[in-house]
Amino acid sequence: MALKSSNLKVGDVHSERIVEDLKRTQIVQYAGASGDYNPIHTDEIFATKVAGYPSVFAHGMLTMGMTGKMLTNYVGDGRLTKYGVRFTNQVWPGDDLEAKAIVEAIREEAGDNFVDLKIETTNQNGVVVLSGSATALIDP
Amino acid sequence: MAVEKFPIEAGHIMMFARAIGDANPIYYDENYAKTTELGGVIAPPTFVQSSAQYDPDYFLRPKIGQPWMGSGKEPTGIKPGQGSGGGSGRGLHAEQHYEYHKPMRPGEVLYATVKPGKKWEKEGKRSGKLVFSETIIEFRDEKGDLVVTACGVGVQTERAVDQG
């Protein structure tokens, strides 16, 4: 179901818990599906002893993918026209993530209706791990 | 990423949706998808990232018979002076931006054109000197229509990001 312009107002918030207790196995699944086998994400020995990190950590694109699930649940399938993010902090195994979209603008352009959203994903400590924006085509 | 041709496959979309923890049937159930305004299965918004699978030289995939930086007998399979074999573990993804022009549907083949973007440097508090570089990839369908424009920003850090 797509969003309706007439039901939206600036400041509306949609949020979802996108992952709870992130498992290393899910990071491995993402490596396999995306083709990004950087061992920093899946190989604890490499990540700690060679790269110098406390453990493996998630691909930024896994966080962007999981945040995208919150977005498409909110705006509807196939409705996004833009989606862009910055990765502001790393995501670790065991993290719980909450993704949030805030309505920034509702506008009409050449007869079509759009919503502009601000996006933020935070971990269990309230640290922002991803921030960005998105635009979606909505119904009148 | 120097991928030329990206075939969109149903099984690959299903695996990708599972990996991002998205159970939405629009990504695998043709019967359900037919009842929606899209009329068929589509791929999730970040799916073009997996076009790396079709890049024969993708540097973050182990190559048959070549050294690989991941652990085996030793913490890394790269011997000193042996070159990168995947990189240093210092490359991170800083930003990713997509523009969507048409939905990605299984059975289609996308053709990618890579355009170099900007390059810049910054001094980071938590990881030393940061070197950023931008890559823009245009994915077009067989008719030549734009499907997705992807703009990625990668960063090389001087040292591991300080967790303090």
Side-chain angles (χ1 to χ4, degrees):
Chain A
M1 277 289 283
L3 288 174
K4 270 183 188 304
S5 172
S6 52
N7 295 342
L8 280 177
K9 57 182 191 305
V10 171
D12 280 357
V13 176
H14 173 82
S15 71
E16 284 181 26
R17 172 63 60 101
I18 52 169
V19 71
E20 231 163 272
D21 186 11
L22 175 68
K23 302 295 192 289
R24 286 172 178 77
T25 308
Q26 186 171 358
I27 301 174
V28 169
Q29 269 184 296
Y30 188 79
S34 69
D36 179 346
Y37 295 98
N38 190 338
I40 209 161
H41 301 304
T42 54
D43 182 337
E44 197 79 17
I45 295 169
F46 176 86
T48 55
K49 294 195 174 161
V50 179
Y53 284 102
S55 81
V56 293
F57 56 92
H59 306 73
M61 289 306 298
L62 172 54
T63 307
M64 187 177 189
M66 294 190 296
T67 300
K69 164 179 67 169
M70 172 282 291
L71 272 179
T72 51
N73 285 346
Y74 185 41
V75 304
D77 299 323
R79 291 300 190 117
L80 283 176
T81 58
K82 274 186 183 177
Y83 176 27
V85 305
R86 280 193 324 127
F87 304 107
T88 51
N89 270 288
Q90 282 151 301
V91 170
W92 306 94
D95 277 0
D96 304 321
L97 300 181
E98 188 89 14
K100 187 165 73 173
I102 304 157
V103 174
E104 285 215 311
I106 304 143
R107 57 193 172 81
E108 209 183 308
E109 202 181 291
D112 285 324
N113 293 277
F114 295 92
V115 64
D116 295 323
L117 303 165
K118 182 179 180 261
I119 302 157
E120 208 168 75
T121 300
T122 47
N123 68 16
Q124 66 282 2
N125 302 317
V127 174
V128 177
V129 296
L130 171 153
S131 72
S133 61
T135 299
L137 181 67
I138 55 176
D139 290 339
Chain B
M1 246 189 310
V3 59
E4 276 172 34
K5 211 170 144 181
F6 177 30
I8 309 290
E9 292 170 349
H12 192 193
I13 295 175
M14 183 182 72
M15 284 172 60
F16 190 89
R18 283 179 181 163
I20 59 170
D22 196 334
N24 188 337
I26 195 75
Y27 301 133
Y28 63 88
D29 184 342
E30 194 60 47
N31 290 330
Y32 162 79
K34 271 184 199 154
T35 68
T36 69
E37 66 177 6
L38 289 154
V41 166
I42 60 165
T46 60
F47 185 67
V48 289
Q49 189 66 18
S50 67
S51 63
Q53 300 277 15
Y54 293 91
D55 175 354
D57 300 318
Y58 189 52
F59 76 116
L60 294 174
R61 180 177 62 242
K63 311 289 187 312
I64 297 163
Q66 291 179 27
W68 173 245
M69 61 175 162
S71 66
K73 281 194 184 94
E74 302 295 331
T76 177
I78 304 289
K79 293 184 183 74
Q82 208 176 28
S84 68
S88 57
R90 290 280 169 273
L92 297 173
H93 202 164
E95 293 180 34
Q96 184 64 47
H97 303 269
Y98 293 114
E99 275 177 52
Y100 304 104
H101 313 279
K102 287 169 101 175
M104 291 168 268
R105 299 175 185 273
E108 286 175 347
V109 178
L110 303 186
Y111 295 85
T113 320
V114 181
K115 299 184 166 180
K118 292 173 290 197
K119 223 175 180 155
W120 67 97
E121 287 183 12
K122 204 173 112 177
E123 198 60 36
K125 282 195 191 84
R126 295 161 59 202
S127 47
K129 191 172 87 166
L130 306 170
V131 181
F132 292 90
S133 62
E134 188 183 65
T135 310
I136 299 152
I137 310 175
E138 290 180 347
F139 292 90
R140 290 174 191 273
D141 62 16
E142 281 158 305
K143 287 186 286 187
D145 293 343
L146 260 180
V147 177
V148 178
T149 311
C151 174
V153 178
V155 58
Q156 283 291 127
T157 65
E158 203 172 358
R159 53 178 191 270
V161 180
D162 183 10
Q163 302 303 314

